[in-house]
Amino acid sequence: MFAPPVCDFHGPSAPPASMFDTVPGYEGTVAGGEGGYLPPPMPSYPAPQPQPGPAQSNWNIPSITEDTAREAFSQYASSKCCYSSAPVKDGVITNMEAYNTYRYRLETFNESRTTEWSQQPYNGQPVDAYTQSPPGPWDIPAKAPTFFQDDKQVIKVPNTSSVKNCHTCLGMGRTPCNECAGVGNKICWVCNGAGNRSSGDRCHHCQGRGRVNCSHCHGQGSRECKTCKGKRQLLVFINLKVIWTNNLDDYIVEQSSGLHVVNLSKVSGQEMFRDAQYMVYPVMGFPDSNVVRAAERLVREHQTFFPTPHDSNNNKYLIMLEDCLCIYSHIYFVYGNEFKVSADNYPATCCCTVM
C-alpha cells in the first residue's frame, strides 16, 4: 500500500494586487512595505532661520591634578590581574603633558513616513473604506518621541479598511494538510502499510488497515488557514509607519598625543558648547581651524541628506563640542571625564595561567 504524493500547499505567497483598492493619495502603497515611501510635500511656509548659538568666550579647559592622574593609574593597575602594583607605588611622575582632543558632534533628528497594505482576520471590526476620503499621509498626527532618540509608530490610516475573501484559502477557512496530502491518513509506521506484523498477526496500531489518522489534522485532511485563522475573510487596510531617526556624525581632532582615537569613543568629554535648534549655524570662532572646517562640512551635508519636511519642526539639529582631555605621563594616558587609562607599554606585567 503506497501513500499519495505529499501535498505542499502554501497558497499564494502574497496577496494579489487586485485585493487592494485604489485609495487617493496612496497609489504607490503595496503589501510588504516596499514602494510605500512618501516624500514630504513642499513646506507651506518658509523654514526658520537659525538663531545665533550661545556665546562662548573661554575655550580653555583646566587640566587634571597629579593626584587624580595617579589615582586613575592605580585603579587601572588594580583591575588587571597580571599587572604589578610596583610602578604605581614606586613610580614618580616627572612630567605631565596635556592634549586638548576636541570632539565635534552633529546630530540631526528627522522624521520619515512609509505606507503598506496590511491585513488581519476579520472579526467584525469597523469597515470605513469609501465613507469619506482618507487624510493625507503627512496630515495624520503622530506623537513625537523625545528628541534625538530613535522611535517608530504604526498608525492605521482612517477610511481605508475593507473586507476581502482570504487569498490563501480562497474563503474556505481551511487549507489542505501538508502532512497527509489532504487525505486525512498516513501509512502506519509500525507495519509500514502491510496491515500485519512480521509474525503474521494483525497490526494493533492501525487495526490491520495499514494506515492511521493524520495526527496533524486529526483525520480531517485540512487544517485551519493560518492567514485568516478560519474566519474566511480578511480586514485589509493601510498602515502608516512613522519613523524617527537620529543621524549622528562625529569629528575628532587628533593632537598627535599617541592615544588611539578609538579609545575616545568610549568616554565623555567636558562639554564646551551646545546648540539645539530646527536650523543651526556651524561653530564659529573656535581656535582650532580643523573644527571650524569640519563643522561647516557636516552642517552642509546634513542639510542636504536630511531635508526639512513640510512641517519645519520635523527636523531638529544638535551641535555639541566636547574636550576629551588627554594627559600623558611617560608610560600612560589619562583621558575623558571618566579618567580612563591607556598603558600599552605597562612596565611590570606577568603571564597568568589558570589550572
Side-chain angles (χ1 to χ4, degrees):
M1 186 177 295
F2 299 97
V6 174
C7 173
D8 190 19
F9 179 86
H10 295 288
S13 59
S18 59
M19 182 174 177
F20 306 116
D21 301 324
T22 300
V23 180
Y26 296 86
E27 290 81 357
T29 303
V30 296
E34 297 294 334
Y37 172 73
L38 299 165
M42 294 297 293
S44 56
Y45 48 89
Q49 294 300 310
Q51 299 299 314
Q56 174 59 265
S57 58
N58 181 18
W59 298 105
N60 295 322
I61 298 297
S63 183
I64 63 175
T65 65
E66 180 178 322
D67 290 341
T68 301
R70 184 181 296 278
E71 176 62 23
F73 190 39
S74 175
Q75 293 183 7
Y76 171 77
S78 300
S79 67
K80 306 291 184 179
C81 65
C82 299
Y83 282 22
S84 169
S85 60
V88 178
K89 297 178 180 178
D90 303 332
V92 177
I93 298 179
T94 59
N95 183 39
M96 290 176 55
E97 297 180 55
Y99 295 89
N100 290 325
T101 304
Y102 303 114
R103 176 168 59 200
Y104 175 87
R105 173 174 295 171
L106 175 61
E107 300 182 35
T108 298
F109 185 65
N110 75 313
E111 173 187 344
S112 62
R113 298 191 173 200
T114 61
T115 57
E116 66 175 354
W117 279 103
S118 299
Q119 61 193 33
Q120 58 185 224
Y122 181 60
N123 292 299
Q125 302 96 313
V127 177
D128 57 9
Y130 303 112
T131 55
Q132 55 181 315
S133 298
W138 284 96
D139 295 328
I140 298 175
K143 183 179 180 181
T146 304
F147 281 131
F148 307 108
Q149 292 184 10
D150 291 352
D151 202 356
K152 181 175 72 173
Q153 187 174 349
V154 179
I155 305 170
K156 181 186 289 187
V157 178
N159 307 319
T160 62
S161 300
S162 61
V163 176
K164 307 290 183 181
N165 283 338
C166 178
H167 60 280
T168 301
C169 64
L170 304 179
M172 301 299 292
R174 301 185 69 84
T175 56
C177 176
N178 292 335
E179 294 294 325
C180 64
V183 298
N185 54 67
K186 303 171 65 175
I187 291 178
C188 175
W189 64 271
V190 176
C191 66
N192 200 27
N196 298 314
R197 307 292 294 272
S198 57
S199 62
D201 296 334
R202 187 178 70 166
C203 177
H204 293 289
H205 184 70
C206 64
Q207 304 301 320
R209 295 188 300 123
R211 302 185 70 83
V212 294
N213 284 346
C214 175
S215 60
H216 289 79
C217 65
H218 305 290
Q220 298 184 56
S222 63
R223 303 179 68 180
E224 182 183 274
C225 176
K226 294 181 179 180
T227 302
C228 68
K229 307 299 182 184
K231 300 299 182 179
R232 302 187 180 187
Q233 293 181 313
L234 297 171
L235 182 74
V236 296
F237 52 90
I238 295 177
N239 264 339
L240 173 68
K241 290 185 178 180
V242 185
I243 301 173
W244 290 273
T245 307
N246 192 41
N247 307 278
L248 184 151
D249 276 307
D250 275 342
Y251 177 79
I252 297 177
V253 180
E254 299 184 58
Q255 297 291 347
S256 302
S257 62
L259 178 68
H260 298 301
V261 173
V262 67
N263 291 354
L264 297 175
S265 64
K266 304 174 183 177
V267 297
S268 62
Q270 183 164 341
E271 188 173 299
M272 307 172 66
F273 177 87
R274 174 185 287 262
D275 186 17
Q277 301 186 57
Y278 292 110
M279 294 290 286
V280 292
Y281 283 116
V283 172
M284 303 300 291
F286 193 71
D288 192 312
S289 60
N290 291 314
V291 172
V292 175
R293 286 194 296 268
E296 293 175 346
R297 174 178 58 83
L298 290 178
V299 169
R300 183 171 59 251
E301 290 177 354
H302 276 228
Q303 291 177 349
T304 300
F305 296 148
F306 315 114
T308 303
H310 77 302
D311 178 356
S312 60
N313 291 343
N314 284 19
N315 268 19
K316 189 161 187 177
Y317 299 86
L318 170 65
I319 289 178
M320 186 164 59
L321 182 62
E322 294 178 317
D323 186 349
C324 301
L325 182 66
C326 171
I327 300 296
Y328 176 63
S329 178
H330 185 54
I331 59 173
Y332 68 99
F333 296 93
V334 181
Y335 57 96
N337 287 340
E338 297 80 3
F339 302 128
K340 293 289 186 180
V341 171
S342 174
D344 294 339
N345 298 314
Y346 194 82
T349 63
C350 61
C351 180
C352 298
T353 303
V354 179
M355 302 297 291

